[in-house]
């Protein structure tokens, strides 16, 4: 039952939550938070939603954000009704990044319509898309949670990749490409990359 509730809570993990066969004679492996998500052994679930708020978003993207926020929140109500400890946090990013909802318990009967409306307001959009700032903000929300929890990071973005460079109008294509390569490296490569930090914290994304 608990594994089923975690599957409902995280949504994207449903396909991976399959029975795990083990041999009693085998030594028990070191269990990470990611494996706890899969096994259903985590004492709680923590979900952080990272939402793109850059000006490249179209009207249908904003409507998608509104629906996504409400659907994620409403899905998390199901395991809460069945007694599972579920926490939910939300961060947004564009040129800057900020926390919209601290990682906090989902309450029975809680409504997410206001949160969805807030994050789909076209007047709040910013010019560029800085994924690094967004990811830093989202990962930071997990710091206040339970190290033993099943941790899930969900994204909503249109996939546009652009930064607010200095003297943007004067930059050459080569300079823009170099700046993009620097960001990609910070996110994906190296010992201090965002990707490595996500793995080290046991965050499923």
């Amino acid at each position: 039952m608990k594994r089923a509730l975690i599957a409902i809570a995280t949504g994207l993990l449903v396909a991976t939550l399959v029975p795990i066969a083990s041999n009693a004679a085998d030594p028990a492996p070191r269990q990470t938070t990611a494996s706890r998500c899969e096994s259903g052994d985590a004492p709680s679930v923590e979900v952080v939603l990272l939402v793109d708020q850059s000006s490249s978003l179209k009207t249908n993207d904003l409507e998608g954000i509104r629906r996504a926020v409400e659907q994620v929140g409403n899905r998390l109500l199901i395991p809460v009704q069945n007694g599972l400890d579920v926490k939910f946090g939300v961060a947004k990013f564009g040129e800057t990044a900020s926390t919209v909802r601290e990682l906090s318990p989902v309450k029975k009967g809680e409504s997410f319509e206001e949160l969805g409306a807030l994050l789909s307001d076209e007047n709040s959009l910013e010019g560029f898309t800085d994924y690094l700032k967004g990811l830093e903000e989202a990962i930071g929300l997990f710091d206040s949670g339970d190290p033993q929890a099943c941790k899930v990071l969900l994204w909503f973005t249109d996939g546009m990749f652009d930064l607010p460079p200095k003297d943007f109008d004067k930059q050459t294509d080569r300079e823009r490409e170099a700046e993009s390569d620097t960001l990609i490296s910070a996110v994906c490569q190296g010992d201090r990359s965002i990707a490595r930090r996500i793995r080290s914290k046991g965050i499923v994304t």
Side-chain angles (χ1 to χ4, degrees):
M1 171 61 76
K2 191 172 183 180
R3 179 161 61 182
L5 293 179
I6 289 179
I8 293 171
T10 59
L12 83 167
L13 294 178
V14 172
T16 66
L17 297 189
V18 294
I20 300 174
S22 62
N23 188 327
D26 294 335
R30 178 178 177 273
Q31 195 172 47
T32 65
T33 55
S35 64
R36 279 193 290 273
C37 290
E38 296 170 356
S39 68
D41 292 335
S44 59
V45 175
E46 298 174 356
V47 178
V48 170
L49 181 62
L50 177 59
V51 181
D52 189 342
Q53 296 278 271
S54 60
S55 59
S56 61
L57 295 171
K58 309 301 182 186
T59 300
N60 60 325
D61 293 325
L62 293 173
E63 176 60 19
I65 287 175
R66 184 190 65 76
R67 291 198 309 269
V69 171
E70 291 183 20
Q71 288 173 1
V72 169
N74 290 336
R75 176 165 289 189
L76 295 181
L77 288 173
I78 299 172
V80 170
Q81 294 290 343
N82 288 278
L84 188 66
D85 179 15
V86 180
K87 293 184 175 65
F88 183 40
V90 182
K92 65 177 182 177
F93 72 104
E95 289 185 39
T96 61
S98 61
T99 295
V100 179
R101 174 191 168 115
E102 296 287 348
L103 189 65
S104 56
V106 176
K107 301 176 182 177
K108 292 182 179 180
E110 186 172 350
S111 172
F112 298 93
E113 290 184 7
E114 185 176 341
L115 184 61
L118 176 66
L119 290 166
S120 58
D121 181 5
E122 63 181 356
N123 295 318
S124 67
L125 301 182
E126 300 178 341
F128 294 91
T129 312
D130 194 330
Y131 286 97
L132 185 58
K133 288 181 180 177
L135 287 165
E136 291 277 7
E137 189 75 20
I139 293 173
L141 287 178
F142 288 107
D143 291 343
S144 65
D146 180 357
Q148 304 302 313
C150 166
K151 301 175 184 292
V152 181
L153 173 60
L154 305 177
W155 296 36
F156 191 104
T157 177
D158 63 357
M160 291 294 291
F161 180 76
D162 54 353
L163 292 170
K166 298 178 180 178
D167 301 321
F168 180 77
D169 295 333
K170 300 178 181 179
Q171 269 198 327
T172 65
D173 289 342
R174 179 172 295 179
E175 287 172 332
R176 292 192 186 101
E177 289 177 4
E179 191 168 46
S180 296
D181 288 343
T182 299
L183 178 59
I184 290 172
S185 178
V187 172
C188 303
Q189 302 169 352
D191 291 340
R192 301 181 65 182
S193 68
I194 291 291
R196 182 175 288 273
R197 287 172 56 194
I198 287 174
R199 288 194 299 270
S200 69
K201 289 177 178 287
I203 300 170
V204 179
T205 186

